[in-house]
Amino acid sequence: MNELCKTIDAYLVELDSRDEQKFVSAFLRAHSKSFAIIGANDVEREGIFVHYNSKKPIPALRWYRTQPDNWRNEDCVRMWPYGLNDVTCRLSGAYM
């Protein structure tokens, strides 16, 4: 997904604070979106999530309870209105 964004000189959203996470969560709810894939992954080091573009570690954000769990080798991040979940990077769908 991030590679697709690069073709239009863009990148997936990078959440740098809980306030930004709250803002994006409100956007998802306001636009009736169940979820969106965001620009974070733990491909290089399991359990250490970093932003695709800046390579900075993501801050302490709100994850769903029991997440991230790396179920079936999940390295990318999907944001629901009420928390983050690690998902497979092959997942398609809405993205921010």
Side-chain angles (χ1 to χ4, degrees):
M1 199 63 61
N2 200 53
E3 293 304 316
L4 176 63
C5 291
K6 286 182 181 179
T7 66
I8 59 170
D9 201 27
Y11 58 89
L12 294 169
V13 69
E14 296 186 357
L15 301 173
D16 293 319
S17 69
R18 283 200 176 203
D19 285 340
E20 286 184 6
Q21 184 178 13
K22 288 177 187 175
F23 177 85
V24 174
S25 291
F27 179 89
L28 290 173
R29 285 190 305 276
H31 292 86
S32 301
K33 300 293 182 189
S34 297
F35 66 86
I37 297 166
I38 64 168
N41 71 78
D42 70 344
V43 171
E44 289 188 27
R45 189 168 169 209
E46 188 60 43
I48 307 297
F49 287 88
V50 298
H51 295 301
Y52 275 111
N53 191 54
S54 69
K55 306 295 185 210
K56 294 188 308 186
I58 67 170
L61 300 173
R62 181 176 176 185
W63 291 84
Y64 273 119
R65 203 175 101 224
T66 74
Q67 297 299 322
D69 63 359
N70 198 37
W71 185 70
R72 295 188 180 180
N73 196 31
E74 297 172 315
D75 292 322
C76 290
V77 179
R78 177 167 49 187
M79 181 174 180
W80 297 81
Y82 302 102
L84 302 177
N85 180 34
D86 59 331
V87 296
T88 176
C89 293
R90 294 182 300 272
L91 184 70
S92 61
Y95 54 94
M96 298 191 86

